[in-house]
Every structure is written in structure tokens, then in C-alpha cells.
Amino acid sequence: MSENFREQLQQLPSNLANHLEISIIALLVGVLISVPLAIFVSRRERLRYPVMTAVGVIQTIPSLALLALMVPLLAATDGFLLGLSAFGFYPAVIALTLYSMLPILRNTVTGILGVDPNLTEAARGVGMSEKQVLYRVQLPLAAPVIIAGIRTATIWVVGVATLATPVGQKCLGNYIFTGLQTRNWLMVWFGVVAAAFLAILLDLLIGGLERAAQERRKGLAWLSTGSLVFLLLAGIVSPSLVQRADAVAVQPTPTTATAQVAESAPAETKTRELREVKIGAKTFSEQYILAALLGSELHKQGLKTSLADSLGSTIVFDALRNGDIDVYVDYSGTIWANYIKRTDVPSRWRVLAETNAWLATEHGIRGLGSLGFENAYAIAIRKEDAERLGIQTIADLASHSSSMKIGGDYEFFARPEWKAMRDAYRLNFSETVSYDSSLMYSALVEKEVDAISAFSSDGRIAAFELFVLKDPKQVIPPYDAVVLVSKRAANEPKVINALQPLIQAIPVELMRQANLMVDRDEDKKTAREAAEWLRSRIKINR
Amino acid sequence: MISLQGVSKTYDEGQSFVVQDLSLEIAAGEILVLLGESGCGKTTTLKMINRLVDCSSGTIEVDGERIRDSDPVQLRRRIGYVFQGIGLFPHMTIAENIGVVPQLSGWAGDKIAARVDELLKLVSLDPSEFRSRKPRQLSGGQQQRIGVARALAIRPKIVLMDEPFGALDPLTRDSLQNEYVRIHRELHLTTVLVTHDMMEALLMADRIAVMSGGKIVQLATPRSLLTNPANGYVRDLMKKPKEQADSIESLLS
């Protein structure tokens, strides 16, 4: 068994359990809302069309967007006035519930209205009340159609739940997002196969229930119901069980740990809330590696950790601000331009100092400082073009830009840096193309585009023989990788002590090599392996 | 037993009437047939008696009680209802179909079972054979026998029948008609039966109300309808069975 396979297998219980939990809860809530709603509108012709249309409109929202939209919606409404967290579980379950509604609602209405009018007349004629007509005649006869709707919803929800990763909910999507970003196809397959397996299993069980109801087979009914209830309970209980098991599994090596745990016992009772440090990561290789690195440093101090990776880049900051995660690595320029909304570009140290001050005063977030490298936006072109055309700076590129295409990651062309750069250097590309950042470099090498918005710490710049253009007018702000710590975790000296040694410890060359280990196609390493390698090299430097 | 006084039904606030100013007294123990062509208002009149349709104006009394003041569900349980669609519940067994109203009325399980067997025998079906079958396993005639049994489950004194035998083949229809008359006499029921079938009306009825355009054209015994038709419409209507009988006779001679 390869290291990669073993690592993916290790994550399976936790990813699967969380996936099961959000899917089952969303379906359950979806059924509990949709079936009564369908019964209600099946008796009120005037309401039927508006309600069905409204639920249909929800379905037209792309699922990824629906999930992502829940985050600001929950944040702006103080969690629907209930104080629900805008991170992870609630946005995921609410979006999935909404997504499950259409097939259940539509099938229930169709099923009820499709009951032979002779039968409802007979039911009323023999003296059933409206309620009895519904429960004794309409619902039992509509049951196969209703269950078919629930089965459709089940398949959809289990599938769409893989998109809950970027809003901070752990699920089988973690395999898919991370796998796609790091081009780790085994990992992607893990997510896809597990999700398909889960969908088929749930569908089979509900199908069994349907057949049992139709054929009145008690044994089958008990078997299906039993299995569903088991899965339901498993879905609700297992994430916490798995977490506990994980926590036991990652107990640090006995020699130092026992001493430390004993030593810190009084401290632990004092700061009880911090039972584990939650580490966040955005969706690219460097972030996965750094999250693994932060995790192993914290473990060394005897702290429990959990990981929420593949988060959307604004979601991760909000999550830290709200205390949903405790620590992650961001970039000073991102904070400067996107969160503080500054457009001026002062020196590297001033950006660092001012962002730290802003984080502390505005949000109570502690910036521990730079890891020692920048991951800035940089315009890269093929080395051969640079030599042939004599392009050294972005300014040189401007005169050639009208006959060139430029590729960027999803965010790039919407970011203030691109607008500033375009205006300052009068760039006028014939076309702008958005790529998944993992495909952007190949696109440049394959001559799909002539320039890309590269990341300066990316190992593929050297590996693919790319040339990074200078920015003489300094319109691109500095992007120091900075460690941010939540208010809660900043009060815990052990956290700060564990992370402090990483500050200024990673030169950009090391980060590039670690990134390349994960991004390259041959002799590929997982993020955790790259983090261990990075950690061993940092030790040598110390 | 049942009394309708100046009863009207309109669906367009008085611009047109399905039933208009209809008055009718139905005596205990009789079989009263509402006879007429489709659209004459006979089914609407029937359904107003158990409030499947509410009348727009007028008064209907059942057992001396104004039905407007009574709970429609309780009213319908006191009145058996049999109709052309039969409407046996396909997800229930025969026993469950017959036992559904007793069950809703809170009867004990063994009492329901006994009643189901009693009713199956009443409609000439073998309980042990039919009890646990599903409706789709029965012929049309057998299904309507169950329909009648279901209507009689909690011993109503009144039965409303809306073209109950209309969809059956002639032989089955004939035997069911005779059998129903037997049951009616045996249980001292009061029956209101809607039909457009002249022969059915003549053979089953104690009295026939001939309806046309939402009104009763003539109300009389079968014999006096044949001998004393009130107008041309009734006369033409009554000619039909006789003409049929004559043409059959000529075939034989």
C-alpha cells in the first residue's frame, strides 16, 4: 500500500462520517419541511404555483453558489437571528436542505393530486374527515411517488454535499477539492467513489423501504428501516466519535507528552474552551502544506488539532474572526487590498506592521509575523519569449500585450491588483482566460496563453522554465505569508510558543521546493509528506 | 325520513341552476329512484343529501334534523353511499375496505372482523375466500358487492346509490339489482337511487322521481308512470322499455 493510499484511507472515517451527517440531517429536515408543505399546497390551488416556483428557483442556483451564499447570509442575519455559525455545519446543512426540497415537494404534490378522484370521493362518501382522507387514502396511495422524490433528493444531496468543503464543512469533498488542487488523482477518486457508494447505499435502503411498503413485506421493512435508522444515528454520532478517536491517535509520542500533559494540567482547566486548535487552509498546495506544518508544530506542544481545509479565501478570514478556526496562514497583500481595501502600495515592512495593527484593533486577531517568504502575484511568461522579445518588466510587456493572451486564477481578474497593474502599465491583452490555478502553469507551457498571474512561491516557475517579470512601478503589494491566530488561541501561550519558531524560518526557495513536491506529476508527495520534509529542512536552518 | 324543501343548487350565483326549487319527501323503508338523462340534476340532488355537495338554498332534513347544522362527517357515517366508481381502496384488503368506517368509529377489532364476515355473507361472498384479497383480484360485480357491504358496515338506515350498477354487464347487473332489493327489505333500509336506466328504475323503485332541467317532472309509482304519464316527456321516456320488449318479442315470433 502506497503512502498516498494509506494517508487517504486514514481520512476516510472522518470525511465519510461528516458527509453522512450533513447529508442525512439535510434530507431529514428536507422531508420534514417539504412533505407537510406539499400537503398544504396540494389543497390550496392558489398557493401551489407560487410555492413550487419559489422552490424551483432555489434549484436553479448553482449548488456551489447556493452553499457559498449561505455564509454571508448567515453572517449578516446573525445566523437567522438564532446565532447559528456562518461556518461549516449550518451553511452546509441549510443549503443542502433547500436543495433537497424540489424533488420531494414536487413528487408529493403530484402523488397526492394523482390519486384517483373516485377514491377520494369514496373516502369522503363513507364518512372520512379530510384528515382521514389524507392519511388513510391519499398519502398511502401517493407513497411510491413521494418515496421516488425522496430517492432523487438523496442522490442529489449526497452529490452536492461534496461541495460543502469550501464553506468549512468537512466531507468527502475534501478529497475532491484538495485532490484537484494538488493534482492527486487517487485522492479525487477516493472522494468520488465514496460519495457514489454512499448515494447508492442510501438509495437502495430507501428503495427497500418502498418495496416493503408496496408488497407489505414486514421483514424487508424492518431491515430497511433498521439500516436507515442505524445510518441516521451513525451520521449524527459518528463525527464526534471519529474526532475522539483521531484525538487519541494523534496523542504525541509518549516520552515528552506525558510529562507535558501532566505539567499543563492546571493551565488546561483554566482555559477550558480551547480543547483543540482548529487549523484552516485555503484551496491550494502551499496552504495544505503549511496547515500540515502548523499542525505538527502544535502537536509537538501536546495540543490537539483539527483541520478545515479547502476553504474559500474570504470564508477562511471570516471563520478566524468568528473563532470558527484558530490559526491559518494568509498573505499580507490580501489583507491589505481585500480586507482593509487599501489601494496604495507602501514598503513590505509597513504593510506588515499596518496589517498587524489593523487585525489587532479591528478584529482582535494576532498576526505572529511573516514565515519568511512572499507568495505574491507575479506576471510570468515563457523564458524563450522573454529572451526573444527582450521583455524584463511588466512595462516591457505592455507594448506586446495586444497580441497576447493572459491566464489567471479564478480570483485574479477581479482583484484590485490586476486593475492597478492594468491601469499603471496600460496593459491591453487580446484575451483574459480564467483557470484553476493548478492548470494555469501548464496552459502557459502549452502556449494556450502567453502570460499568467503566477504565484512567486510556486515551484513550477523554475521547473517549467518560466520568467517572472519585474514590477518597477511597484503596483503589486507585498504578499508576506503571515501566521494569523484567533483571539481565543492568542490567549493560549502554548499555541504561540508552538508557532513562534516558524516565524522567518522558511526561505522562499524551500517553500518552492515543497510546493513542487506536491504539484509535480512524477514522484509526487502528499501535503503532509511535503510538510514533514519542510520541517526537517527548517530544523537544519535553525 | 328524508325531506327536501325548495332546494336549489347553483355554481354561478344564480345565473343558472343545476337543481332548482326542488321539494321531495322520502318515506322510511322505500326505494326512491331519481331518474333522468345526464345533466338533469339527479346526482347533485343525491349528493346534497349527504353533503358531498352543499345546497345553495332550501332546507334538507334527515331524520327530522336539518343537515346544514350537522357535521358532514358524522352525517355521512349515518348514510351508506354506493356509486358507479365503486372506489374500493386498492392498498387495503377486502376486510379492511369493509372495516374502514367501523374502525374510524372506534369499534373493537374482533367486532369489526365479525361484522366483515356477516356483511360478506349478506352480499353472497364467502368470507374465508374474499376476506384477505385485494380489490384488483375481484371482478367488477364482486367489487360492487363489496361496495354495498362497505356502505352498510355500521348499519346505516339510509343508503344513497349513484348509478351503482351502471358499469356492470347485464347479467351481473340483474342479479345485483335483485339482491340489493332483498337486502333493502331485509334490513328495512331507506334507499335513494340515481339512474338513467329505465328498466332498473321500473324494477327496483317503490316510487320514481323523473327529473329534467333540475326539476322533478313527475313523482309517482312505476305503475302510474306507465299508465298516467304527466306530460309528453314522461310518456316518451316510458315508451322505451315497452318498445324494446316489443322488438324482442317480434324477434321470437
Side-chain angles (χ1 to χ4, degrees):
Chain A
M1 205 166 22
S2 75
E3 173 63 22
N4 189 5
F5 191 88
R6 215 171 52 81
E7 204 171 292
Q8 305 324 324
L9 201 61
Q10 243 172 21
Q11 292 181 42
L12 188 62
S14 154
N15 285 349
L16 189 63
N18 280 285
H19 198 95
L20 187 63
E21 179 188 45
I22 55 171
S23 306
I24 292 244
I25 291 177
L27 278 168
L28 199 67
V29 177
V31 169
L32 290 179
I33 294 174
S34 310
V35 172
L37 184 63
I39 291 169
F40 185 78
V41 299
S42 71
R43 279 145 193 271
R44 286 162 189 82
E45 207 167 340
R46 228 176 279 169
L47 279 176
R48 201 178 304 148
Y49 184 73
V51 169
M52 302 275 271
T53 308
V55 174
V57 164
I58 294 172
Q59 211 72 45
T60 66
I61 304 173
S63 33
L64 187 60
L66 184 65
L67 276 152
L69 282 173
M70 281 304 135
V71 174
L73 199 64
L74 276 166
T77 57
D78 186 28
F80 295 141
L81 302 174
L82 297 168
L84 307 179
S85 164
F87 179 81
F89 181 80
Y90 288 108
V93 166
I94 293 169
L96 291 177
T97 300
L98 288 173
Y99 217 68
S100 74
M101 284 179 67
L102 183 67
I104 305 176
L105 184 80
R106 181 173 286 167
N107 280 39
T108 306
V109 169
T110 309
I112 290 175
L113 296 180
V115 170
D116 182 357
N118 268 324
L119 297 176
T120 46
E121 181 178 337
R124 290 194 183 94
V126 300
M128 286 193 195
S129 65
E130 287 308 302
K131 222 184 209 170
Q132 289 162 341
V133 173
L134 177 70
Y135 285 111
R136 304 249 172 182
V137 179
Q138 288 176 308
L139 285 183
L141 290 173
V145 186
I146 297 173
I147 292 178
I150 296 175
R151 288 176 74 169
T152 308
T154 304
I155 303 269
W156 286 8
V157 164
V158 171
V160 172
T162 56
L163 302 174
T165 301
V167 301
Q169 172 59 46
K170 186 178 269 190
C171 61
L172 292 168
N174 286 42
Y175 282 129
I176 299 172
F177 277 86
T178 313
L180 286 175
Q181 284 304 318
T182 58
R183 295 164 67 85
N184 182 342
W185 307 124
L186 178 75
M187 204 172 181
V188 177
W189 274 113
F190 247 82
V192 171
V193 170
F197 169 78
L198 191 60
I200 291 169
L201 179 70
L202 285 173
D203 185 54
L204 272 178
L205 289 176
I206 300 173
L209 204 60
E210 184 181 359
R211 265 185 58 194
Q214 264 172 1
E215 297 165 19
R216 302 210 148 194
R217 284 164 56 183
K218 285 226 169 91
L220 187 61
W222 281 114
L223 183 71
S224 308
T225 314
S227 311
L228 278 172
V229 169
F230 173 77
L231 276 182
L232 179 73
L233 293 178
I236 294 168
V237 174
S238 60
S240 50
L241 285 183
V242 168
Q243 208 172 20
R244 204 172 302 163
D246 276 357
V248 172
V250 298
Q251 281 294 342
T253 42
T255 45
T256 52
T258 34
Q260 271 174 350
V261 168
E263 195 179 299
S264 61
E268 242 169 5
T269 45
K270 200 171 61 190
T271 55
R272 215 194 203 129
E273 348 169 18
L274 196 77
R275 293 170 70 184
E276 59 173 14
V277 183
K278 297 185 199 126
I279 304 167
K282 305 189 196 188
T283 41
F284 50 92
S285 306
E286 180 173 295
Q287 286 276 317
Y288 302 130
I289 298 169
L290 291 175
L293 181 64
L294 296 177
S296 65
E297 290 298 321
L298 290 163
H299 279 165
K300 218 175 56 185
Q301 289 292 318
L303 290 157
K304 289 176 190 168
T305 63
S306 66
L307 178 64
D309 61 15
S310 301
L311 299 177
S313 75
T314 55
I315 290 166
V316 68
F317 183 70
D318 287 339
L320 184 77
R321 215 172 45 177
N322 297 331
D324 291 312
I325 60 170
D326 297 307
V327 54
Y328 82 100
V329 174
D330 211 328
Y331 303 92
S332 58
T334 302
I335 302 167
W336 185 259
N338 286 28
Y339 308 154
I340 316 183
K341 311 256 183 234
R342 295 276 293 258
T343 51
D344 54 324
V345 181
S347 68
R348 195 170 163 183
W349 67 267
R350 247 193 81 188
V351 169
L352 261 179
E354 286 193 32
T355 51
N356 272 349
W358 180 82
L359 287 168
T361 51
E362 296 290 319
H363 301 295
I365 292 170
R366 179 155 173 200
L368 287 186
S370 170
L371 288 170
F373 71 93
E374 268 193 84
N375 182 0
Y377 273 112
I379 301 297
I381 59 175
R382 292 180 290 270
K383 200 170 262 175
E384 49 178 276
D385 284 356
E387 283 160 12
R388 187 166 54 86
L389 301 169
I391 300 173
Q392 293 283 321
T393 66
I394 305 177
D396 297 339
L397 185 67
S399 56
H400 299 282
S401 64
S402 61
S403 61
M404 286 179 154
K405 291 187 201 168
I406 183 167
D409 65 78
Y410 296 129
E411 301 181 29
F412 181 68
F413 297 113
R415 288 182 69 109
E417 294 90 335
W418 162 243
K419 285 165 193 145
M421 194 189 305
R422 191 186 54 195
D423 297 346
Y425 292 108
R426 297 180 180 281
L427 296 175
N428 179 27
F429 287 97
S430 67
E431 201 179 320
T432 59
V433 190
S434 289
Y435 286 99
D436 189 285
S437 58
S438 66
L439 300 175
M440 209 163 56
Y441 296 89
S442 323
L444 181 57
V445 173
E446 303 291 329
K447 302 193 176 175
E448 293 285 325
V449 290
D450 307 297
I452 56 167
S453 67
F455 300 103
S456 60
S457 62
D458 201 299
R460 283 170 289 199
I461 290 175
F464 287 7
E465 299 199 327
L466 305 182
F467 187 82
V468 176
L469 301 180
K470 292 189 182 66
D471 171 24
K473 294 189 184 172
Q474 290 206 357
V475 291
I476 305 175
Y479 278 86
D480 270 291
V482 288
V483 178
L484 305 186
V485 180
S486 71
K487 193 192 274 179
R488 189 174 70 132
N491 289 327
E492 175 63 70
K494 269 165 86 181
V495 174
I496 306 299
N497 290 342
L499 300 178
Q500 203 73 55
L502 293 174
I503 300 308
Q504 295 298 343
I506 309 173
V508 71
E509 293 76 23
L510 270 189
M511 195 66 235
R512 278 183 187 155
Q513 283 184 57
N515 284 338
L516 188 63
M517 291 169 95
V518 174
D519 290 333
R520 69 191 171 198
D521 289 326
E522 289 94 40
D523 189 25
K524 211 169 170 56
K525 297 280 188 278
T526 66
R528 210 185 291 186
E529 290 170 319
E532 283 312 310
W533 175 85
L534 193 56
R535 195 161 161 234
S536 67
R537 300 305 293 260
I538 297 169
K539 272 189 191 147
I540 293 165
N541 282 358
R542 264 187 223 158
Chain B
M1 193 85 199
I2 304 171
S3 145
L4 290 82
Q5 294 296 331
V7 171
S8 298
K9 179 64 189 179
T10 173
Y11 287 102
D12 49 17
E13 297 180 356
Q15 289 185 30
S16 66
F17 286 90
V18 187
V19 172
Q20 192 168 16
D21 196 21
L22 183 142
S23 296
L24 178 64
E25 298 288 332
I26 300 158
E30 76 170 326
I31 297 183
L32 183 115
V33 171
L34 295 169
L35 174 71
E37 293 158 344
S38 33
C40 72
K42 58 190 190 299
T43 293
T44 305
T45 304
L46 186 83
K47 286 185 175 175
M48 285 192 291
I49 297 173
N50 69 356
R51 292 192 61 184
L52 280 176
V53 173
D54 272 320
C55 60
S56 308
S57 61
T59 312
I60 301 174
E61 288 178 9
V62 169
D63 272 338
E65 187 190 330
R66 291 159 69 113
I67 63 166
R68 194 183 291 275
D69 307 329
S70 60
D71 171 26
V73 170
Q74 291 309 320
L75 177 74
R76 284 174 211 148
R77 291 202 188 157
R78 274 162 44 201
I79 301 177
Y81 181 62
V82 184
F83 69 120
Q84 184 170 5
I86 306 176
L88 297 185
F89 306 124
H91 57 301
M92 300 180 187
T93 63
I94 296 307
E96 287 168 331
N97 264 284
I98 298 175
V100 67
V101 184
Q103 200 214 350
L104 293 176
S105 313
W107 288 25
D110 48 349
K111 193 178 163 195
I112 296 174
R115 179 67 180 153
V116 166
D117 287 0
E118 188 184 350
L119 285 161
L120 281 170
K121 279 180 213 146
L122 182 72
V123 297
S124 311
L125 294 173
D126 179 7
S128 58
E129 190 187 341
F130 286 93
R131 211 183 280 135
S132 48
R133 286 205 195 168
K134 284 288 183 70
R136 64 168 181 276
Q137 296 170 302
L138 270 59
S139 71
Q142 290 169 334
Q143 288 192 16
Q144 193 56 298
R145 282 167 196 267
I146 304 300
V148 171
R150 180 175 66 183
L152 298 173
I154 56 169
R155 302 192 174 86
K157 296 314 287 176
I158 298 171
V159 176
L160 305 181
M161 303 184 104
D162 186 5
E163 310 225 13
F165 314 121
L168 304 177
D169 66 83
L171 283 177
T172 312
R173 189 190 307 157
D174 188 57
S175 75
L176 263 174
Q177 284 164 347
N178 290 326
E179 207 158 336
Y180 182 73
V181 173
R182 172 182 64 80
I183 292 171
H184 170 91
R185 304 271 178 251
E186 212 173 293
L187 303 180
H188 308 291
L189 300 172
T190 304
T191 300
V192 184
L193 184 141
V194 160
T195 186
H196 63 266
D197 180 342
M198 196 67 52
M199 288 304 285
E200 183 165 281
L202 293 173
L203 291 174
M204 291 181 73
D206 292 315
R207 287 192 303 158
I208 296 173
V210 180
M211 285 187 70
S212 177
K215 293 178 174 171
I216 293 178
V217 185
Q218 188 173 5
L219 174 63
T221 59
R223 171 182 276 275
S224 68
L225 273 183
L226 286 167
T227 53
N228 263 325
N231 59 20
Y233 178 77
V234 180
R235 186 181 305 122
D236 289 345
L237 209 61
M238 291 302 134
K239 266 187 197 154
K240 289 278 178 276
K242 214 159 168 291
E243 278 172 10
Q244 283 172 356
D246 290 346
S247 54
I248 291 167
E249 205 134 323
S250 67
L251 272 177
L252 291 170
S253 59

